[in-house]
Amino acid sequence: MIEIADIREWRNHDVVDQDGKKIGSLENVYVDTATDLPSFATVTVGLLGRHRLVFVPVADAVAGPGYLRVPFNRNDVKNAPSIGTDDVLTAEQEPEVFAHYHLDYATGVSGERRLARR
């Protein structure tokens, strides 16, 4: 498990897929609100002036020298739900992010959101 402090050290470093192909740059970390553990990272992708942030789970990510490797195909990550670089993930978008990676989604007991940006 990668700790939050470790992921913060990787901000702006490359995020690569399971084959070592660059996906983009690590922008931020979203934690699971129930555990406060890293759950997803946002990765900056796109062309200059048309950047967007895509979401990728970090549960099985591996930190290497100068990169964070995620166990997903580059195209799958680039086609994941995204937000603008100045936008915030809405509660309505959370289920889409989980569904894209075939992960179970449920709100907290009182309807709390699952993801919080750190």
Side-chain angles (χ1 to χ4, degrees):
M1 169 64 66
I2 296 173
E3 299 296 326
I4 293 174
D6 295 337
I7 290 177
R8 285 186 184 141
E9 292 174 17
W10 292 100
R11 189 161 189 220
N12 296 320
H13 280 75
D14 290 347
V15 175
V16 300
D17 72 2
Q18 59 201 10
D19 298 322
K21 295 177 186 169
K22 183 177 177 178
I23 298 169
S25 300
L26 182 69
E27 190 272 335
N28 217 324
V29 177
Y30 280 72
V31 297
D32 184 319
T33 57
T35 63
D36 207 37
L37 293 174
S39 183
F40 283 84
T42 50
V43 180
T44 305
V45 299
L47 303 172
L48 189 59
R50 299 192 69 174
H51 287 131
R52 61 192 171 89
L53 302 174
V54 295
F55 290 81
V56 63
V58 295
D60 295 320
V62 175
Y67 65 85
L68 186 71
R69 182 179 41 213
V70 295
F72 300 97
N73 176 285
R74 178 173 64 174
N75 289 332
D76 289 342
V77 176
K78 286 189 171 190
N79 290 322
S82 65
I83 58 176
T85 55
D86 294 327
D87 295 338
V88 176
L89 182 70
T90 66
E92 295 78 26
Q93 292 171 304
E94 281 188 4
E96 286 178 55
V97 172
F98 282 77
H100 181 78
Y101 293 101
H102 309 288
L103 299 172
D104 292 332
Y105 177 81
T107 58
V109 177
S110 300
E112 300 92 355
R113 295 183 62 178
R114 281 284 304 274
L115 298 176
R117 185 176 171 175
R118 292 284 189 261

